[in-house]
Amino acid sequence: MAAKSFSPVYTWSARVVVDGEAEGAGLDLTDSQVTTTGAGRPTLAFLSGALTPNTLYSFALSVHSVEGDLAVAFAEVRVLMNRDPYGGVLEVVPASGVAGTGFSLKALGWNDDEEDLPLSFAFSHLPLNVARPGVLALAGRSKSSTTVAYLPAGEGSVVLRVYDFYGAVAEVQATVSVTTPVLDGCAQVEGLFDKARSKAETGKPFAALQFARILSEQGGGEGSCDFGGAERRLRYRRRLQDAGNGTATDCYLNGTLFNGTLANGTSCDDAAGASLANALLALIAAANGVSGQSTTASRNQLAGVLAGVVGNSTALGGAEQADALSQVAQVASDAAGAGVDHGTAANLAAAADSVLGASGDGRSEAETKSINAAASSTAQALGSALLAGTVPGEAGAELLGNNLKISAQRAASGSVANATISGPGGAGGLALPLSVLGNQSAADVAQGIDVVLTSFAVNVHGDPQNASTDGGRRRLGELGGLLTGVFSVKLKSASTASEMQINSLPEPIIITIPRPAASSVSERLINCTNAASCSDRGACVLGGCVCESPWYGDECESQSACYYWDEAQSIWATEGCEMVAEDESSISCACTHLTDFAGIASSASSVLPTTKEEVAEDLEEVTFNTFSTEDIVNVLSKPPIEENQTVYTLVFALTGACVGCLLLAFAKDRYDDRRAARLESELSAKGSGVHIQPTAEDFSRAPVTRADVAANYVEAKLDGIDEKLKVMQQKAVLGFTRKRAVALAKDDPALARELMREAANRITTIESASVETAADATAADATAADAAKPVGFDNPPTYVEQKEAAPRAKKERLVTRAVRAAVSALESDHTILGLWYSRDSEIRRPQLVQILFNVIALEIMIISPSPFKGAYFIMRTPRPTLTCS
């Protein structure tokens, strides 16, 4: 007997241990403020601060079968929560000041149990009422209990976190008020910049970045100030992008050029004084290089300063945008493996979002490629960083901006198959098939699957008109612009942190790509007067075309299609992707692989060759559907039925149905021909002098239809049923009378015999009346038939006489009227029945049957099944080719 499969159900509990016993109901593990996994997963994870320090907890796990059997496994572990450091305070001197003032921060009087020592300290700043909230590091975690910080303007708090040897942490805050400095000229701005430069040169990167943050809030518009003049050369290195080979180059901004120029052609020396934003980016790169090691605190501060510089500057050119985003990508890459706090991730995403939303006017092609590559790299690195240290089943994380949206979650491998996953912010998503992990090794899926979805509002890849393909062939003008943003789907192994190669799946992945909100009619081009102006693919509303799906454009001239970015060839391609649905908010594609996807407008017109090479290529694609004698002999002698069972079953079924319908059509035509010949013979007899007496139908001009025949048949049957019911009722009454007579026989035998004779006589009378009624009906039918026989035209009855001689019509039953209406509707409205019962059609019925089956065969050839082994049937629109049969 086969072993019974086991589907486990996990149940966790967490209770406080008092005097050696776990007491009370314990923690509410369904509360999202307590645990990130809940009580029903193999792993239990708590939020920071959910457990009380210096408390002994009992964590118990029971495992049941899904069928509800008794617990088959139970385990318990008891953990004593470490006590936080205690007894200390945070001292901030002064309590208020101007941005650029040095604030002395001291952690005083902190202590802990001896086995928990030594302590370490981390200082940070929590700004209030800012667009990007989050704690910004002021100094890295160290054993030093003091530091000096330069705080940005605004209300905020200095945050001190004290850690013991085991990681228990205590936190205190002190409110600080910092006012904005009055910078009424370049001297003050350049003075602050000198301080920042000095801090970087003396090995104090945190202080240098704090000054950079203060300067970034000035808006970056000090274009007339000199940040790289003769007296103020930047004496530190900056990582730059060389325009010639795209590699990183060390460029000294100290008056001496090193290996060329910036990407935009500006010399290193001149670029230093171009703008405050440009100088700050160089300062940030230098401070990052001085720090030498990427830590949580340094990444936090770099992210905050980069977000400030990019977000507050309106003067960033293409080179500065590329430089800023490359630094953002580097910080995100450093955080991918170690993890990232929410503040750092939010600032990195905000910086990338700002660059993606900036105007691209004036960017060179190299700058655009650099920005696109850095944006994609940043998004993927942030997705991995958000999942570092998580366990399968924990709630996912999201970063939502106007131009960049990221969602990431770590799922158990068993929950990925057949899963439906929503996109960032609930827009878009994907439905994974059962076979999505079929080609992955057990080691790759053992610790879970990281699902990272990224939605770019802008195109971060090549222009579809210059980088497109259809069946391996490029041609300018085949495609329009993107109708959606770029939707990136990545599945990564939590074990190896590497991206899984998902391709050639037997079942498709359904990817729903969000599209921007449709513009109102008032925002569209005013160019139409009627539907013809909209290519007959929509309606003209208020002078603008409102197109029918899937058509788009000012004149409804384009339609959308599903494309993916082929990284190897740097082109937009369609292989393995089909559109399955679309509406105003999204486009759904069925694809057998994963990468970056987009909906792209394709021209409604065919692509015509424009060069000799394209004409030659079109001629090479001409095919001829011909069969040789050998092919026909092979098919007839050795038909490959086993290899093509579905095809042959369909062919045989259609052939049998066609032959059967042809026989019926031939028989029906033959019957109608004979009937027509008989009528023609009667008319000929009428012309030879033989008088045919017209019937009442001829006078009333009411020919009997098939609906009349069916209704009369039903009515006659119902009349017969009524008569039988009446006889049965009367027999029942008389039977009761006879039973009553038998009952009275004991008391009055004479009266009983009299009742018995009366009942017998009445039953005989009823049966006789029933027989006479049937006989009268038969005689009436015969009389009506005799009256209908030809008697000559010498003395024909008038219409009034015929009407008086006819029996009085009775009201039809409801069922009869329903049958009459149904038959009449079928005969007059149903296309096939109308053709079948037609008497005046000039085409023979066998011809109609052959036309019908030819159309069916044509539809089967046009509508081909999807290559996927699912339930999809997709209308293909291949590139036009010439086929000669």
Side-chain angles (χ1 to χ4, degrees):
M1 185 175 68
K4 184 179 180 181
S5 61
F6 178 72
S7 300
V9 176
Y10 303 95
T11 305
W12 283 96
S13 66
R15 295 186 292 173
V16 176
V17 178
V18 178
D19 296 331
E21 297 293 334
E23 296 183 346
L27 300 178
D28 182 5
L29 300 184
T30 63
D31 187 352
S32 60
Q33 301 300 315
V34 175
T35 173
T36 59
T37 56
R41 298 183 181 274
T43 305
L44 182 63
F46 289 91
L47 288 170
S48 178
L51 301 177
T52 305
N54 202 30
T55 303
L56 181 63
Y57 284 94
S58 166
F59 302 105
L61 171 66
S62 61
V63 183
H64 306 259
S65 67
V66 73
E67 292 78 11
D69 299 339
L70 296 177
V72 297
F74 180 85
E76 180 193 22
V77 62
R78 296 188 175 186
V79 178
L80 175 63
M81 296 303 298
N82 186 16
R83 183 169 65 168
D84 299 339
Y86 58 91
V89 295
L90 168 64
E91 180 184 86
V92 180
V93 179
S96 62
V98 179
T101 301
F103 289 83
S104 175
L105 313 179
K106 296 181 180 180
L108 303 175
W110 290 94
N111 205 349
D112 205 345
D113 298 334
E114 184 175 356
E115 61 269 20
D116 296 341
L117 299 176
L119 302 180
S120 57
F121 306 88
F123 296 91
S124 57
H125 180 245
L126 178 63
L128 303 178
N129 303 320
V130 296
R132 290 181 296 274
V135 176
L136 301 176
L138 297 175
R141 178 176 166 182
S142 70
K143 295 179 181 180
S144 175
S145 61
T146 64
T147 189
V148 176
Y150 303 90
L151 305 180
E155 298 295 326
S157 298
V158 173
V159 180
L160 169 65
R161 294 173 68 88
V162 184
Y163 299 85
D164 69 7
F165 179 77
Y166 295 102
V169 59
E171 180 180 302
V172 292
Q173 298 183 13
T175 303
V176 179
S177 178
V178 183
T179 58
T180 304
V182 179
L183 302 177
D184 54 1
C186 286
Q188 289 85 353
V189 177
E190 292 169 0
L192 284 177
F193 188 82
D194 274 345
K195 291 182 179 180
R197 176 181 54 80
S198 175
K199 296 296 183 183
E201 290 177 342
T202 55
K204 299 178 180 178
F206 277 88
L209 291 175
Q210 290 164 20
F211 275 109
R213 180 176 178 81
I214 294 171
L215 283 167
S216 71
E217 297 180 353
Q218 304 307 309
E222 312 299 329
S224 61
C225 300
D226 182 11
F227 301 103
E231 302 88 10
R232 200 171 287 106
R233 297 296 184 186
L234 304 178
R235 298 178 178 87
Y236 49 83
R237 293 186 176 188
R238 177 186 179 190
R239 304 295 290 179
L240 297 172
Q241 190 75 14
D242 184 85
N245 54 23
T247 60
T249 304
D250 288 334
C251 182
Y252 288 89
L253 299 183
N254 61 355
T256 302
L257 296 181
F258 183 85
N259 196 21
T261 61
L262 290 170
N264 60 359
T266 305
S267 69
C268 297
D269 195 30
D270 295 336
S275 69
L276 175 60
N278 189 5
L280 287 175
L281 290 173
L283 177 64
I284 294 169
N288 189 23
V290 169
S291 65
Q293 183 180 4
S294 177
T295 64
T296 301
S298 65
R299 291 192 294 269
N300 177 279
Q301 194 170 52
L302 282 168
V305 177
L306 284 169
V309 171
V310 175
N312 293 328
S313 176
T314 59
L316 287 179
E320 289 81 9
Q321 293 172 6
D323 186 10
L325 201 50
S326 66
Q327 293 192 50
V328 169
Q330 182 60 52
V331 176
S333 177
D334 292 341
V340 66
D341 61 274
H342 178 74
T344 302
N347 280 321
L348 291 174
D353 188 81
S354 297
V355 173
L356 290 175
S359 172
D361 296 340
R363 289 179 186 167
S364 67
E365 183 177 353
E367 291 165 355
T368 300
K369 287 184 177 180
S370 175
I371 289 172
N372 291 342
S376 298
S377 174
T378 299
Q380 295 309 313
L382 283 177
S384 298
L386 289 170
L387 297 177
T390 62
V391 297
E394 283 194 72
E398 290 187 333
L399 297 171
L400 305 178
N402 294 325
N403 305 290
L404 175 63
K405 295 179 173 64
I406 305 170
S407 68
Q409 58 179 301
R410 178 164 291 173
S413 58
S415 65
V416 171
N418 281 339
T420 300
I421 303 173
S422 297
L430 69 158
L432 299 171
L434 186 64
S435 59
V436 66
L437 300 179
N439 296 328
Q440 308 303 318
S441 67
D444 286 340
V445 302
Q447 297 183 26
I449 309 298
D450 292 348
V451 183
V452 180
L453 306 181
T454 307
S455 179
F456 298 95
V458 298
N459 182 7
V460 293
H461 296 302
D463 183 355
Q465 292 187 343
N466 299 322
S468 61
T469 182
D470 191 357
R473 175 178 181 178
R474 301 190 198 186
R475 184 169 295 175
L476 297 180
E478 287 186 6
L479 301 180
L482 267 65
L483 297 172
T484 68
V486 176
F487 194 73
S488 175
V489 182
K490 306 292 184 185
L491 297 186
K492 301 181 180 181
S493 168
S495 306
T496 63
S498 59
E499 182 179 347
M500 293 181 170
Q501 298 303 312
I502 307 294
N503 47 48
S504 303
L505 295 177
E507 301 171 279
I509 300 171
I510 306 302
I511 303 155
T512 302
I513 308 171
R515 65 193 316 164
S519 59
S520 63
V521 174
S522 61
E523 296 173 347
R524 296 173 184 162
L525 183 64
I526 306 301
N527 63 345
C528 68
T529 56
N530 50 45
S533 304
C534 302
S535 307
D536 289 325
R537 301 187 185 107
C540 182
V541 179
L542 301 178
C545 290
V546 179
C547 306
E548 300 173 352
S549 178
W551 298 101
Y552 300 92
D554 293 330
E555 298 179 357
C556 304
E557 73 282 2
S558 298
Q559 60 180 335
S560 57
C562 292
Y563 279 77
Y564 73 93
W565 180 249
D566 188 330
E567 191 69 33
Q569 302 184 61
S570 296
I571 55 175
W572 288 101
T574 59
E575 183 180 0
C577 280
E578 298 283 358
M579 178 179 289
V580 294
E582 68 172 326
D583 53 34
E584 293 183 355
S585 62
S586 63
I587 292 176
S588 295
C589 306
C591 301
T592 58
H593 53 78
L594 290 181
T595 178
D596 294 356
F597 303 90
I600 300 179
S602 59
S603 174
S605 59
S606 300
V607 179
L608 299 178
T610 57
T611 64
K612 293 181 180 180
E613 292 76 12
E614 292 174 357
V615 172
E617 187 176 349
D618 281 340
L619 292 177
E620 292 175 358
E621 294 178 357
V622 175
T623 59
F624 295 88
N625 281 337
T626 58
F627 290 93
S628 65
T629 305
E630 184 180 356
D631 292 334
I632 297 175
V633 171
N634 289 336
V635 171
L636 295 179
S637 60
K638 300 178 180 179
I641 297 178
E642 294 183 357
E643 293 81 0
N644 302 276
Q645 294 183 4
T646 302
V647 174
Y648 276 92
T649 300
L650 180 61
V651 170
F652 292 151
L654 287 176
T655 302
C658 182
V659 171
C661 291
L662 284 174
L663 293 175
L664 290 174
F666 178 78
K668 179 63 175 176
D669 273 356
R670 187 175 182 184
Y671 170 78
D672 286 351
D673 291 343
R674 290 179 177 178
R675 185 178 180 185
R678 185 172 62 253
L679 293 175
E680 184 177 357
S681 175
E682 292 176 356
L683 292 175
S684 299
K686 188 184 298 184
S688 63
V690 178
H691 300 291
I692 300 176
Q693 174 64 37
T695 64
E697 180 182 355
D698 296 325
F699 286 99
S700 63
R701 299 184 182 275
V704 178
T705 65
R706 289 178 177 81
D708 296 330
V709 173
N712 292 338
Y713 175 81
V714 172
E715 189 72 14
K717 288 293 184 181
L718 292 176
D719 288 341
I721 293 173
D722 284 347
E723 291 296 334
K724 291 180 179 179
L725 288 175
K726 290 179 181 179
V727 171
M728 291 172 63
Q729 290 174 357
Q730 293 177 356
K731 285 184 176 181
V733 172
L734 295 178
F736 173 75
T737 303
R738 295 177 63 179
K739 291 179 181 179
R740 183 168 176 268
V742 171
L744 294 174
K746 297 179 181 180
D747 299 331
D748 191 349
L751 178 58
R753 286 193 295 274
E754 182 63 27
L755 288 175
M756 291 289 288
R757 284 194 298 272
E758 181 180 354
N761 293 335
R762 293 183 64 180
I763 290 174
T764 302
T765 303
I766 290 172
E767 292 175 346
S768 300
S770 177
V771 172
E772 291 175 0
T773 300
D776 292 342
T778 302
D781 292 340
T783 303
D786 292 339
K789 293 180 180 179
V791 295
F793 281 91
D794 296 334
N795 188 23
T798 65
Y799 171 71
V800 176
E801 292 172 343
Q802 290 282 351
K803 187 175 181 180
E804 290 177 351
R808 183 179 300 276
K810 65 185 183 66
K811 186 176 180 180
E812 287 183 341
R813 294 176 175 84
L814 179 61
V815 175
T816 305
R817 293 198 300 273
V819 170
R820 184 189 301 278
V823 175
S824 178
L826 284 174
E827 185 177 0
S828 61
D829 297 338
H830 197 283
T831 304
I832 296 178
L833 290 178
L835 289 173
W836 187 259
Y837 289 125
S838 174
R839 300 177 183 178
D840 300 325
S841 177
E842 296 180 357
I843 191 170
R844 307 292 292 178
R845 287 187 179 88
Q847 292 174 279
L848 293 174
V849 170
Q850 194 60 49
I851 291 173
L852 173 63
F853 280 89
N854 285 343
V855 172
I856 293 174
L858 182 61
E859 288 292 334
I860 292 174
M861 288 188 290
I862 292 177
I863 303 178
S864 61
S866 169
F868 312 127
K869 297 179 181 178
Y872 299 97
F873 283 85
I874 302 170
M875 188 70 180
R876 298 183 178 276
T877 309
R879 185 179 177 278
T881 58
L882 178 63
T883 303
C884 302
S885 300

